[in-house]
Amino acid sequence: QRWRERRLTGHDGLIESKAARQLLRERFGLEKLVISATSLEDVFGCPFDYFQKHVLGLERWEEPEATVVIESKDLGTLYHDILEDFFKNGGELTAVMQRHFDRFEREGVTGYPSLWAIKKEVVRDELTAFVARDRTGDWRPSEFEKKFDGIAVAAPVRLRGKIDRIDLSTDG
């Protein structure tokens, strides 16, 4: 009998109780949603992956011994950490890079040493060129990792997160 029905029922997940729907709306409704840009990317990339990661708290199993080259995520973090450290604390760029290279090597995320040596040269060249270009402009780093929370993007959804770097012009 149930399989012949064309309408959804409680067996399909339909919640008919107005009180139950109101409780769910109050607890989980979009009005309460404040989400990061990364989480939005996860939702649109694969809703099931979002559910596993952000609702169930599951993470993908990583096997360190299977790392041949540094993963893209780790490489992005390396670039970010080096630039933030350099612009916040100053010092010589080469020394700042080496400190972070050493840390990533200790963490075991760099892959095979011969491939890592090549990747380090690429990172050195790219960051040296980036910093040189960055210094020629009229903008200077002012703040790093600036948090924001509850910015309305499309009612009722609000966005939260961090801005990596805020620059101010040299003329104020």
Side-chain angles (χ1 to χ4, degrees), residues 42-57:
D42 291 345
V43 167
F44 293 121
C46 179
F48 186 65
D49 282 349
Y50 174 86
F51 174 71
Q52 291 180 90
K53 182 177 178 183
H54 298 281
V55 177
L56 299 179

Side-chain angles (χ1 to χ4, degrees), residues 77-111:
T77 300
L78 176 65
Y79 277 91
H80 180 275
D81 291 354
I82 290 170
L83 288 171
E84 181 181 0
D85 186 0
F86 175 73
F87 285 117
K88 261 184 165 176
N89 304 314
E92 185 195 352
L93 180 59
T94 306
V96 172
M97 286 190 279
Q98 191 58 53
R99 237 185 356 263
H100 289 278
F101 292 157
D102 293 345
R103 178 174 58 92
F104 273 63
E105 289 168 10
R106 284 192 305 275
E107 292 173 4
V109 297
T110 57

